[in-house]
Amino acid sequence: MPLLQSIVHRLDPTLDGERLTVTAAPGAADSNDDTMAALVSKLADTYNTKAKGWGRFASEGEQAGPLVAWLEAYMKGELAFEALSTQLTERLARELQEALSVGGYLVIAHQRQGDTETLLFALVHQREGIGIGEAHQAVPAAQLNTQQLTLAARVNLTQWQQGDGAGSQQYVSFLKDRGAKKLADGVAAVLGMEEGIDAPAETRTLLKAFSDYVEREDLDEEASREKTDTLVDYAHEQMRRGEPMTLEELSGLVDEQAPKAFYEHIRNADYGLSPEIPPDKKTLSQFRRFTGRAGGVSISFDSHLLGSSIEYDEGQDRLIIKQVPKQLKEQLAKRKE
């Protein structure tokens, strides 16, 4: 991923712990700096795996902030990257003056991947360690902890600039850890955004829609497992790239012979899903389908139903279904007639 611009500023709490001070970098990093590019790449990879809030810039009201104007000026070439980064860091320091107990390095990067440009900022903490020097002796060695981010955000500049007509409605994201609510609220305020999609809830609804689709199509065990793997693989790939799942694209992958079938199923059943859904890692990790066929009996159900509407008694070798599907109940009722 080409690194167009990058810079690192430092945030430090004052001795009384009541505010943060900013030590600005003397200038932006060299765009050809391979070490800086590797650092930003690691931060992006970590960011993609974390739980996030998603939304868009607020157009007006108390939520709207100056970041939009700064970004517009920067993209037009009217504001230097160094100035943009300093303004962003100083605003972040004001918003988080009571939320941070330790300092850190704020890495800000403008990247391009394919036709998409993004602005990422992440607070990284440095830890002291021990390494081996050129004389083969133990020496102090500082290392950035890129695996435990608690404060980071990203703006998809390309989608934002495309506007409401063609662009995504969810082009701003930020880390949203339950244990760091003040940090998340402060970052959202700096971004001047209004949060939109609830990623875990939307992902659960998508999986429910998929399960309904599989049951409606009455797929055999192999086809069911294949389509499930396709959905999960697509979700993980989008998660790795830090991009949302697109319903139409997913529909085409789930059934290449009828690429619109799953999408039309979602729309016709009115699940209320957004066209683009940020994949939630925790929800996806809990999703799989149990399937089995033997002696004229074929059973298939989602793993999250086990323990609620479906129970397995291993000792008695029994599977208890508490909520019989409506279609099956109707068939059983007709059998008695």
Side-chain angles (χ1 to χ4, degrees):
M1 181 181 291
L3 188 59
L4 304 180
Q5 295 276 8
S6 62
I7 198 167
V8 181
H9 299 307
R10 181 168 177 83
L11 292 173
D12 288 296
T14 56
L15 294 177
D16 56 16
E18 293 185 356
R19 63 188 181 89
L20 288 168
T21 60
V22 176
T23 302
D30 187 334
S31 59
N32 296 317
D33 187 335
D34 292 338
T35 303
M36 189 66 178
L39 170 60
V40 173
S41 179
K42 287 184 177 180
L43 293 176
D45 288 344
T46 299
Y47 181 78
N48 290 343
T49 64
K50 300 289 186 179
K52 292 180 282 292
W54 295 75
R56 54 187 291 121
F57 290 132
S59 57
E60 56 185 14
E62 295 182 358
Q63 287 181 298
L67 181 58
V68 171
W70 297 342
L71 287 175
E72 288 176 343
Y74 168 64
M75 297 302 286
K76 292 178 181 178
E78 299 171 355
L79 181 67
F81 179 76
E82 292 89 337
L84 168 68
S85 68
T86 301
Q87 291 172 336
L88 174 59
T89 306
E90 289 177 345
R91 180 167 172 79
L92 188 66
R94 290 194 297 272
E95 287 290 343
L96 301 178
Q97 58 184 353
E98 297 179 358
L100 280 179
S101 58
V102 293
Y105 293 96
L106 189 69
V107 179
I108 305 175
H110 179 188
Q111 300 171 277
R112 178 189 293 128
Q113 182 177 26
D115 296 330
T116 301
E117 295 187 22
T118 59
L119 182 77
L120 170 74
F121 66 83
L123 186 67
V124 192
H125 301 294
Q126 186 166 274
R127 55 190 177 188
E128 300 302 320
I130 299 175
I132 302 298
E134 294 181 0
H136 294 218
Q137 295 180 342
V139 294
Q143 184 178 27
L144 293 174
N145 187 354
T146 61
Q147 299 298 314
Q148 296 182 351
L149 297 181
T150 55
L151 186 159
R154 179 166 53 203
V155 179
N156 189 314
L157 299 172
T158 302
Q159 291 181 343
W160 163 57
Q161 289 191 309
Q162 284 177 344
D164 294 341
S168 167
Q169 301 299 303
Q170 313 295 327
Y171 49 76
V172 184
S173 62
F174 64 101
L175 289 190
K176 196 174 183 181
D177 192 319
R178 291 182 179 179
K181 187 176 185 303
K182 286 187 177 180
L183 290 182
D185 291 345
V187 171
V190 170
L191 293 168
M193 64 174 288
E194 50 189 20
E195 195 171 350
I197 285 180
D198 182 339
E202 288 280 295
T203 303
R204 285 193 296 271
T205 302
L206 174 63
L207 296 179
K208 173 63 167 61
F210 175 77
S211 298
D212 293 344
Y213 174 74
V214 169
E215 292 179 9
R216 190 196 72 174
E217 296 295 309
D218 193 23
L219 302 173
D220 59 32
E221 180 181 343
E222 182 179 353
S224 174
R225 184 180 294 112
E226 181 181 331
K227 292 185 185 301
T228 299
D229 290 344
T230 297
L231 183 150
V232 174
D233 289 346
Y234 171 68
H236 283 151
E237 174 61 18
Q238 294 303 97
M239 190 186 309
R240 186 190 66 78
R241 298 173 60 185
E243 297 181 2
M245 297 180 286
T246 303
L247 293 185
E248 290 193 72
E249 184 177 15
L250 174 59
S251 180
L253 294 172
V254 165
D255 193 337
E256 295 181 352
Q257 300 301 318
K260 293 290 185 180
F262 181 46
Y263 181 79
E264 290 174 354
H265 163 75
I266 292 174
R267 289 299 170 224
N268 292 336
D270 194 21
Y271 288 94
L273 287 169
S274 302
E276 294 182 343
I277 301 172
D280 181 66
K281 181 180 180 181
K282 183 177 180 181
T283 304
L284 286 166
S285 66
Q286 298 173 342
F287 179 73
R288 56 173 296 196
R289 288 183 67 82
F290 293 119
T291 60
R293 182 189 299 270
V297 177
S298 177
I299 299 175
S300 176
F301 61 92
D302 296 336
S303 60
H304 69 271
L305 297 176
L306 193 63
S308 55
S309 59
I310 296 177
E311 290 186 4
Y312 174 50
D313 186 337
E314 186 174 2
Q316 298 293 324
D317 194 25
R318 294 187 304 181
L319 197 67
I320 304 171
I321 302 175
K322 296 181 180 180
Q323 297 178 2
V324 179
K326 181 180 178 181
Q327 186 177 12
L328 179 56
K329 285 194 293 186
E330 291 175 350
Q331 294 177 41
L332 292 172
K334 291 180 179 180
R335 178 69 177 82
K336 294 180 180 180
E337 295 176 358

